[in-house]
Amino acid sequence: MKYKLLAASILATMSTSALSATYQLTELGALEGAKYSYVTDVSESGHIIGIANGLYNLPVDIEHIDFSLSLIQNAYSNEVRAFELSDKDITFTLEDIEKNNAVATNADAHSFMIRFLANVSANYQFQKLSSLTAIKYDSGAAVEQTLFDINSPDYPGVTRSVTNFYNAVAEDGTTVGWGSAPFDKIEFTIEEETDPKPWFTRDFIERGIIISESGMEVPLVPQFSEYGGTSQASDIVKTADGYIVVGNMSLGIPQTRQTNITDNCDDKYQPFSTCIEVINNQTTRGIFNKQATKWTLDNAFNITSTEVLGLAFTPYEDEVDFAFISNAFAVNKNGIAAGVSNTRYYDKDTTIITMPVYFKDGKAVEFINQPDGWQGGKSLAINDNNIVTGYATRRVDGALRNKFFYHDIATGTTVYPDSYFTSSSSYGNSINNQGYIVGEGEVGISDSSRRSAAFIYKIGDDKITNLNDLLPCYDMDGTSSYGYSMSEAKVINENNEIFGVATKTVEKRNSLGEVVTDINGKTEYESVAVAVKLSPIPNGTIEDCAPPDAEVYERRSASFSWYGLLLLPLIAFRRVFRF
């Protein structure tokens, strides 16, 4: 509800330096050949990084596929039935794919193969593909950063078999992230068989990396690197002497996991590295003990120290069979990190949960009060005043909901500001040194209608403010509804500029990047995620654009004790994948 009355109440409770103006939205650019774009971090000096998802024309290597297998024959039969249910005739056959290269010319065939490979992702005799890639924004364009991917020996371009996360950028443009090794197609002969078959293997599951502005790369090799090990790099701060980087890495492997590997990974029925992958995927918390880590580097990018930041609890001697994990997602100039750690449930010693923590003076400190019903969450950001923000999880109206918080390390106080309504999940993603927090929360009355809406909040205020209320009501023509909806606010800098994700409606494109039309030849449309910047407009005014009948809904929804945008892949990737 963008009424003058609302504007007055906002201005009465929030600093005029940020919210006495409305915001101007600018797209940051998009990676050519990708449907979705996101921003992950922005430096005060203006360096911007992110990720792209939904890559078009993913390469399908059909040479390794036996099209007589029942697995793909059954998948094709199901595809034919799906077309029939939609009163459509299927436009390709398996023979077209195998012999006529239909995946390069027929979008239905290409989409079928991409979905088939995704459905058999746990079978390492089939090609592995990912539509996610890292990007750097530069003057309105997005430039791909391939991290660990390499040129494919089987088709033009890189393998597209890696998953890349580009997480943070320092003042001088140095970036950090993590990714997987590219899959390599090898020939492997199963014991008691005579003919070798293709298998897809890789050297490691995940590896952190530091990349200088000039392109120098520093992989973060974990302390325990057997079986590839794992490491992640989640944040970086420039210091006078160099850099501080935080994330986590593998320190060892529990005895039961090692026994499982020894008993099963014998290179008889599958490649050794494939066996490791399978056990890791099938085991809760994976096969490695992984703990939050802080790396210190000098200005020449030499690692001068590596500090393991620990866990929020001490495992018992008889708990050597279990893998325990902590991770640091953010760090400030004081060297204090924020993240998560496994810990014990307060009233059941044998139950291990994951809670928000901060890492300071050699300790992982849990600060959310479990007896109040909190049973999970993550610390996602910390400012230079040592104030942490993120979200914690507890039951609200019978369902688990996430609630954004901020925690002042100096005073030990934790505050949970009001969300859009009582059962609305909310997340604090970024906090600047002025005490402004940005994130997103659920709007919509019912579970089925909930979607994500970006917010801004000033420490000390009663509730969050929907950033969409601070944008124009109409497009440039003055009559069409504004074409963007802010879904997620990812970063706020010291100028109170906000960077995040908005959705807009565009022409629908298929997996080959072609515009889609309906049976009558009319162009279809879809909603996509785009990376955007919101800039304060000096002396701007909050517009009154709600129709008369909207007031009841707005007032009602504000008193109610984010799901929609999750239909757009990876919109919440940082929260989901950074543990």
Side-chain angles (χ1 to χ4, degrees):
M1 180 175 63
K2 298 179 183 175
Y3 287 115
K4 298 295 182 181
L5 180 60
L6 176 61
S9 66
I10 293 172
L11 294 175
T13 58
M14 304 190 76
S15 168
T16 59
S17 65
L19 292 183
S20 62
T22 55
Y23 279 83
Q24 177 181 348
L25 183 150
T26 306
E27 283 196 45
L28 296 176
L31 180 67
E32 185 176 357
K35 180 168 290 191
Y36 309 108
S37 60
Y38 308 89
V39 59
T40 54
D41 197 25
V42 182
S43 72
E44 290 295 327
S45 52
H47 300 92
I48 309 172
I49 63 171
I51 62 170
N53 195 28
L55 295 174
Y56 301 124
N57 285 294
L58 283 175
V60 178
D61 178 14
I62 62 173
E63 297 299 325
H64 78 285
I65 298 176
D66 181 354
F67 284 87
S68 67
L69 290 172
S70 60
L71 195 61
I72 194 167
Q73 292 280 343
N74 292 337
Y76 180 74
S77 296
N78 292 334
E79 188 79 354
V80 171
R81 283 192 289 271
F83 269 74
E84 291 172 347
L85 289 172
S86 300
D87 294 325
K88 297 178 181 178
D89 294 325
I90 198 161
T91 60
F92 66 94
T93 65
L94 289 182
E95 186 177 13
D96 291 332
I97 296 175
E98 181 180 13
K99 298 181 178 180
N100 300 322
N101 197 27
V103 291
T105 58
N106 185 313
D108 291 337
H110 184 263
S111 178
F112 165 76
M113 287 305 303
I114 296 298
R115 284 183 280 108
F116 170 74
L117 291 173
N119 289 334
V120 295
S121 61
N123 186 330
Y124 290 86
Q125 291 183 271
F126 290 93
Q127 179 187 11
K128 304 300 166 223
L129 288 172
S130 172
S131 67
L132 181 71
T133 192
I135 54 177
K136 181 183 292 186
Y137 294 97
D138 185 12
S139 302
V143 181
E144 183 175 11
Q145 312 294 301
T146 55
L147 301 191
F148 292 105
D149 210 351
I150 59 174
N151 287 330
S152 169
D154 300 309
Y155 41 79
V158 294
T159 69
R160 296 294 179 203
S161 64
V162 305
T163 300
N164 291 330
F165 292 92
Y166 213 26
N167 294 326
V169 57
E171 288 307 292
D172 65 350
T174 299
T175 55
V176 298
W178 58 272
S180 58
F183 279 93
D184 183 29
K185 183 170 65 175
I186 66 170
E187 294 292 316
F188 178 81
T189 304
I190 295 175
E191 190 173 272
E192 300 175 357
E193 294 186 5
T194 57
D195 296 329
K197 291 182 172 59
W199 286 74
F200 291 83
T201 66
R202 60 183 177 182
D203 294 336
F204 54 82
I205 297 170
E206 60 189 21
R207 182 67 45 84
I209 190 169
I210 305 166
I211 307 175
S212 73
E213 175 71 354
S214 64
M216 178 181 176
E217 297 183 352
V218 182
L220 296 173
V221 179
Q223 177 176 305
F224 181 86
S225 59
E226 196 169 348
Y227 315 129
T230 69
S231 66
Q232 298 180 5
S234 297
D235 200 12
I236 182 171
V237 171
K238 182 74 177 75
T239 66
D241 299 323
Y243 306 87
I244 298 173
V245 174
V246 296
N248 80 349
M249 68 176 178
S250 53
L251 302 180
I253 187 168
Q255 185 58 52
T256 53
R257 267 69 160 178
Q258 182 58 65
T259 301
N260 198 359
I261 292 171
T262 302
D263 291 346
N264 294 283
C265 300
D266 52 15
D267 249 349
K268 292 182 178 180
Y269 302 104
Q270 59 186 343
F272 183 84
S273 62
T274 297
C275 183
I276 297 296
E277 294 264 3
V278 171
I279 294 175
N280 184 73
N281 293 339
Q282 294 177 348
T283 306
T284 302
R285 296 196 293 270
I287 63 173
F288 299 106
N289 282 311
K290 298 183 287 187
Q291 290 190 25
T293 305
K294 180 165 66 175
W295 294 270
T296 303
L297 295 87
D298 62 22
N299 285 309
F301 297 98
N302 300 302
I303 297 175
T304 57
S305 71
T306 301
E307 179 186 356
V308 177
L309 301 178
L311 296 166
F313 76 111
T314 302
Y316 299 135
E317 289 184 4
D318 61 356
E319 291 179 317
V320 294
D321 289 344
F322 302 97
F324 298 114
I325 301 174
S326 64
N327 204 346
F329 298 148
V331 65
N332 64 14
K333 70 178 183 181
N334 307 314
I336 302 174
V340 294
S341 176
N342 288 152
T343 190
R344 300 190 190 281
Y345 192 51
Y346 79 101
D347 68 348
K348 192 174 184 181
D349 211 35
T350 57
T351 298
I352 303 299
I353 60 176
T354 303
M355 294 296 289
V357 298
Y358 64 84
F359 303 92
K360 183 177 183 288
D361 298 332
K363 296 180 180 180
V365 182
E366 182 185 354
F367 54 86
I368 300 294
N369 190 31
Q370 289 189 33
D372 287 342
W374 301 106
Q375 50 188 293
K378 295 183 180 182
S379 298
L380 296 175
I382 181 171
N383 68 8
D384 293 333
N385 299 317
N386 301 336
I387 300 177
V388 179
T389 190
Y391 69 91
T393 306
R394 71 174 178 183
R395 291 195 176 275
V396 179
D397 295 340
L400 286 175
R401 303 294 186 189
N402 300 319
K403 293 294 182 179
F404 112 84
F405 66 80
Y406 65 88
H407 175 81
D408 189 329
I409 293 177
T411 64
T413 57
T414 306
V415 177
Y416 304 88
D418 288 344
S419 302
Y420 290 123
F421 50 92
T422 302
S423 63
S424 167
S425 285
S426 55
Y427 310 83
N429 292 329
S430 177
I431 179 171
N432 67 12
N433 292 331
Q434 302 170 55
Y436 286 98
I437 300 172
V438 295
E440 75 268 9
E442 290 176 328
V443 295
I445 296 176
S446 65
D447 284 349
S448 62
S449 67
R450 291 191 180 192
R451 64 189 189 280
S452 175
F455 70 74
I456 186 170
Y457 171 82
K458 178 68 169 66
I459 288 178
D461 289 339
D462 293 330
K463 61 180 295 184
I464 62 180
T465 297
N466 192 327
L467 280 170
N468 291 289
D469 290 334
L470 307 179
L471 294 174
C473 299
Y474 304 104
D475 275 335
M476 296 298 291
D477 61 10
T479 58
S480 302
S481 296
Y482 193 59
Y484 297 88
S485 177
M486 279 296 298
S487 308
E488 176 177 337
K490 192 65 179 171
V491 179
I492 183 168
N493 64 18
E494 296 306 320
N495 295 321
N496 290 317
E497 296 170 322
I498 300 168
F499 301 80
V501 177
T503 58
K504 70 173 184 177
T505 300
V506 299
E507 292 179 336
K508 186 175 182 179
R509 294 184 181 273
N510 58 34
S511 66
L512 293 179
E514 302 163 334
V515 175
V516 176
T517 58
D518 62 18
I519 58 174
N520 298 315
K522 293 184 178 180
T523 300
E524 295 186 4
Y525 293 86
E526 62 182 341
S527 181
V528 299
V530 293
V532 298
K533 172 185 178 180
L534 300 186
S535 304
I537 303 173
N539 303 316
T541 59
I542 299 173
E543 299 179 21
D544 176 0
C545 55
D549 59 354
E551 182 174 358
V552 174
Y553 167 80
E554 293 286 356
R555 287 179 178 172
R556 182 182 299 161
S557 66
S559 64
F560 265 85
S561 75
W562 142 51
Y563 170 79
L565 196 62
L566 287 179
L567 298 176
L568 301 178
L570 273 288
I571 189 62
F573 68 92
R574 187 169 187 175
R575 293 188 305 275
V576 174
F577 293 103
R578 294 179 64 181
F579 184 74

